[in-house]
């Protein structure tokens, strides 16, 4: 594993790479409030063993990357898409297979639309289409909505409060098919909290915005698209994943039975088989 901090004039982006730099690159973009650690090391290593150069990084306001005062982010979703390309530039990579989860999936869509020459393929996990009216799609489940309501009363500078809230959150978004490992989840959340420069800054992800220039642009997506979506996702119900298939020609959907809004280890075989098949099919055509 290689670590690197990609620096530009106004931002530092902490990153890690797995595998051989001569192999095709896969860039992993994680979701709201989630550092790169939410792409598990073992997940990245398994991808690398399949002949991929895998890069994960901390989005702004997470982990060891640049953070901003709470409630005052000085960036937009478009800037976060630019960050993904900054990471590629930092590794000297001209193009990569782009993989995004949740909010990271929205960023990944912008990367593929804004920088088609840098995006070999696009894989979206547990996310929703950008620039599309999704009012007809189901929203968060009632149970998750009730849980998230406690967010407003949380003191994000209080380590104990935050860890208990995040633990409840991870439980709420977990698979309905596989067991929930509470101790593992707690240990991970504590590690993620203690590693961050300022964990509460990650709440800035809920107040950033993007311009209207992407409205209606998704059908022109050039990168071959794979969608992976949990059938029991409580944040973006599976209908959000199915919507891509209606919008983007020749896209593919893999539904994870009982899958939540997570990368559960028991689902990795299915996810990795789909992801490797998607990316290597394009590599074999190059």
């Amino acid at each position: 594993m290689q670590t690197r901090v990609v620096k530009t004039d106004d931002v530092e982006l902490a990153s890690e790479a797995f595998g051989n730099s001569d192999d095709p690159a896969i860039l992993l973009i994680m979701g709201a409030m989630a550092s790169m650690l939410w792409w598990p090391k073992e997940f990245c290593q398994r991808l690398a063993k399949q002949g991929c150069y895998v890069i994960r990084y901390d989005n702004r306001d997470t982990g060891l990357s640049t953070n901003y005062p709470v409630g005052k982010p000085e960036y937009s979703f478009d800037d976060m898409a630019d960050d993904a390309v900054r990471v590629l530039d930092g590794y000297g990579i001209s193009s990569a297979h782009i993989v995004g989860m949740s909010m990271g999936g929205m960023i990944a869509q912008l990367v593929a639309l804004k920088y088609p020459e840098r995006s070999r393929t696009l894989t979206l996990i547990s996310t929703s289409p950008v620039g599309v009216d999704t009012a007809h799609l189901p929203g968060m489940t009632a149970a998750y909505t009730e849980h998230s309501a406690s967010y407003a009363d949380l003191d994000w500078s209080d380590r104990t409060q935050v860890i208990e809230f995040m633990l409840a959150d991870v439980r709420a978004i977990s698979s309905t098919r596989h067991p929930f490992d509470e101790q593992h989840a707690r240990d991970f959340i504590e590690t993620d909290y203690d590693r961050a420069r300022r964990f509460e800054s990650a709440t800035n992800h809920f107040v950033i915005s993007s311009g209207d220039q992407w409205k209606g642009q998704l059908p022109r997506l050039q990168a071959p698209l794979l969608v992976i979506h949990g059938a029991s996702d409580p944040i973006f119900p599976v209908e959000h994943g199915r919507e891509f298939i209606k919008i983007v020609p020749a896209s593919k959907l893999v539904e994870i039975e009982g899958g939540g809004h997570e990368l559960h280890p028991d689902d990795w075989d299915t996810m990795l088989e789909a992801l490797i098949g998607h990316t290597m099919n394009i590599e074999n055509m190059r």
Side-chain angles (χ1 to χ4, degrees):
M1 184 175 68
Q2 308 152 347
T3 61
R4 184 173 304 181
V5 176
V6 176
K7 298 182 180 181
T8 63
D9 291 340
D10 60 347
V11 66
E12 294 184 354
L13 300 166
S15 67
E16 294 178 347
F18 303 78
N20 189 331
S21 60
D22 292 330
D23 288 336
I26 293 182
L27 182 67
L28 304 177
I29 309 174
M30 193 30 83
M33 292 196 66
S35 74
M36 65 179 169
L37 299 187
W38 291 79
W39 295 107
K41 181 185 295 185
E42 296 81 5
F43 184 91
C44 298
Q45 290 171 333
R46 286 182 59 175
L47 269 177
K49 287 179 181 178
Q50 294 296 318
C52 303
Y53 187 49
V54 182
I55 301 170
R56 63 180 185 174
Y57 69 98
D58 291 329
N59 282 315
R60 300 190 197 204
D61 277 323
T62 71
L64 302 178
S65 290
T66 297
N67 62 59
Y68 301 84
V70 176
K72 297 180 180 180
E74 300 173 8
Y75 59 94
S76 66
F77 278 117
D78 292 84
D79 293 320
M80 297 183 83
D82 295 342
D83 286 346
V85 173
R86 290 184 177 102
V87 173
L88 293 181
D89 289 343
Y91 282 83
I93 294 171
S94 59
S95 64
H97 301 280
I98 310 298
V99 181
M101 180 169 182
S102 194
M103 184 190 79
M106 298 176 185
I107 296 168
Q109 291 172 66
L110 298 189
V111 174
L113 289 169
K114 193 173 183 179
Y115 300 99
E117 73 285 358
R118 308 298 297 269
S119 310
R120 295 190 188 186
T121 64
L122 180 62
T123 299
L124 304 175
I125 305 173
S126 301
T127 192
S128 187
V130 300
V132 174
D133 182 2
T134 58
H136 62 290
L137 300 178
M140 293 188 299
T141 64
Y144 190 78
T145 299
E146 181 180 356
H147 155 72
S148 62
S150 60
Y151 165 91
D153 299 324
L154 193 65
D155 179 357
W156 287 95
S157 65
D158 185 314
R159 182 180 186 275
T160 300
Q161 280 193 44
V162 172
I163 289 171
E164 292 304 321
F165 175 84
M166 293 299 296
L167 182 62
D169 194 76
V170 171
R171 187 194 302 275
I173 64 176
S174 64
S175 169
T176 59
R177 185 183 183 192
H178 306 307
F180 177 69
D181 188 337
E182 180 172 340
Q183 189 59 53
H184 179 270
R186 181 181 293 277
D187 291 344
F188 171 78
I189 292 164
E190 290 177 347
T191 297
D192 194 43
Y193 185 96
D194 293 337
R195 174 178 174 270
R197 287 186 179 183
R198 182 169 53 188
F199 191 87
E200 59 264 37
S201 289
T203 60
N204 285 333
H205 289 170
F206 298 124
V207 297
I208 58 176
S209 61
S210 184
D212 293 334
Q213 69 268 35
W214 305 113
K215 186 175 182 179
Q217 294 300 305
L218 200 55
R220 71 175 181 85
L221 183 72
Q222 296 180 28
L225 174 62
L226 168 67
V227 178
I228 300 174
H229 212 107
S232 299
D233 190 326
I235 295 181
F236 294 121
V238 69
E239 287 82 358
H240 289 254
R242 294 170 181 166
E243 192 72 6
F244 286 102
I245 307 306
K246 302 175 183 177
I247 297 171
V248 181
S251 54
K252 297 177 291 184
L253 171 65
V254 173
E255 294 188 18
I256 305 297
E257 182 184 353
H261 194 80
E262 62 172 352
L263 299 172
H264 196 288
D266 289 351
D267 293 325
W268 288 1
D269 285 347
T270 301
M271 291 179 169
L272 290 169
E273 180 181 4
L275 179 54
I276 292 296
H278 181 58
T279 57
M280 290 306 164
N281 180 55
I282 297 301
E283 289 301 318
N284 292 336
M285 295 171 59
R286 291 174 68 87

